[in-house]
Amino acid sequence: ADLGFEKFCNIKCRKSGLKPSCAVIVATVRALKLHGGVDAKALSGENVKAVQDGMPNLMRHIENVAKFGVPAVVSINRFPTDTEAELEAVKEACASLGVEAVVAEQWQHGGQGARALAEAVKAKCDDPANTESFRLLYQDSLPLQDKVRTIATELYRADGVVFSKEASTKLAKFEKMGFGHLPVCMAKTQYSFSDDPALVNAPTGHTLKIENVRLAAGAEFVVVLAGDIMTMPGLPKKPAALDISV
């Protein structure tokens, strides 16, 4: 909800007028255990406490979706190693925020495995009040730096933002050129709410560092690069192509 969902709302919905009725937040027990402090190589064993310790990450995503006035449904994509106790821990934590969490097993059972999820989403979409509650996080008139600060403090829970001299100079130039009304497109690590991929779970008290910015005048947004981030090509550290023989 700090990256794709934020962009969808603040950029796409702003431009198109779309108003989502529901957001599906995809979660896995394995990811929650990772956020709860379990080593990446030891995620298969049951560890309810680690799931509970990692829940603040999922809770923050739920809270971030709510900031846009969009009701959420959590889809727990089940792995064969997930236990009933671990799944129940996720459901109970979500229920404490008034959010339904549904186990999804479409990878194993096809459409039938996602039926419960589909029914939960349909129930949200059938309520017209859910569409009318949608709101943007910031207005077009807000200065570019303040748009970045709003996202950083509201969604990332940063204490503040530090702009490099180059980034500050460019943003001022963009505003002088008449592009200050554009939304910002944040480029940040997907592994953390901060700009540090090692800072997992739900960190607070951090400072977001903006290294550079780019104007995408045709697409009508300003790209903001936080920390050490590569915008392309978006591949994993070891692409599958490395294991393909010809």
Side-chain angles (χ1 to χ4, degrees), residues 138-221:
Y138 57 80
Q139 298 303 311
D140 293 346
S141 58
L142 202 64
L144 291 173
Q145 285 200 14
D146 288 341
K147 290 173 182 174
V148 176
R149 290 191 184 95
T150 298
I151 293 173
T153 56
E154 290 289 325
L155 301 185
Y156 307 161
R157 307 304 198 278
D159 277 356
V161 182
V162 173
F163 295 86
S164 70
K165 183 177 180 181
E166 182 178 9
S168 295
T169 300
K170 285 184 176 180
L171 288 176
K173 180 181 179 181
F174 297 162
E175 290 181 341
K176 189 174 181 180
M177 293 167 63
F179 295 108
H181 65 288
L182 296 181
V184 294
C185 182
M186 303 296 294
K188 178 186 74 65
T189 177
Q190 72 271 35
Y191 298 114
S192 173
F193 282 107
S194 71
D195 56 30
D196 179 0
L199 202 57
V200 296
N201 211 329
T204 58
H206 56 93
T207 299
L208 190 72
K209 297 177 289 294
I210 305 303
E211 304 296 342
N212 208 342
V213 295
R214 301 171 186 167
L215 173 63
E220 297 188 333
F221 54 71

Side-chain angles (χ1 to χ4, degrees), residues 30-228:
R30 292 172 64 85
L32 291 172
K33 285 193 282 193
L34 188 67
H35 283 292
V38 175
D39 186 271
K41 297 179 181 179
L43 298 175
S44 297
E46 181 180 82
N47 193 330
V48 175
K49 183 180 185 305
V51 173
Q52 294 169 335
D53 289 344
M55 274 304 300
N57 180 270
L58 178 55
M59 305 289 259
R60 182 172 295 180
H61 284 294
I62 293 172
E63 292 167 357
N64 283 350
V65 167
K67 287 178 181 287
F68 291 88
V70 180
V73 172
V74 171
S75 170
I76 311 173
N77 278 15
R78 185 171 192 169
F79 279 69
T81 54
D82 297 347
T83 68
E84 290 300 326
E86 291 173 330
L87 295 170
E88 278 303 311
V90 179
K91 291 180 181 179
E92 290 175 8
C94 291
S96 70
L97 289 181
V99 173
E100 182 179 5
V102 182
V103 175
E105 298 177 286
Q106 64 273 17
W107 65 272
Q108 182 179 13
H109 301 297
Q112 193 62 33
R115 185 180 182 89
L117 174 62
E119 290 174 347
V121 172
K122 183 178 184 299
K124 296 292 185 185
C125 293
D126 286 344
D127 185 348
N130 289 336
T131 300
E132 296 308 315
S133 63
F134 175 72
R135 56 184 175 271
L136 299 171
L137 197 63
Y138 57 80
Q139 298 303 311
D140 293 346
S141 58
L142 202 64
L144 291 173
Q145 285 200 14
D146 288 341
K147 290 173 182 174
V148 176
R149 290 191 184 95
T150 298
I151 293 173
T153 56
E154 290 289 325
L155 301 185
Y156 307 161
R157 307 304 198 278
D159 277 356
V161 182
V162 173
F163 295 86
S164 70
K165 183 177 180 181
E166 182 178 9
S168 295
T169 300
K170 285 184 176 180
L171 288 176
K173 180 181 179 181
F174 297 162
E175 290 181 341
K176 189 174 181 180
M177 293 167 63
F179 295 108
H181 65 288
L182 296 181
V184 294
C185 182
M186 303 296 294
K188 178 186 74 65
T189 177
Q190 72 271 35
Y191 298 114
S192 173
F193 282 107
S194 71
D195 56 30
D196 179 0
L199 202 57
V200 296
N201 211 329
T204 58
H206 56 93
T207 299
L208 190 72
K209 297 177 289 294
I210 305 303
E211 304 296 342
N212 208 342
V213 295
R214 301 171 186 167
L215 173 63
E220 297 188 333
F221 54 71
V222 175
V223 180
V224 178
L225 288 82
D228 183 17

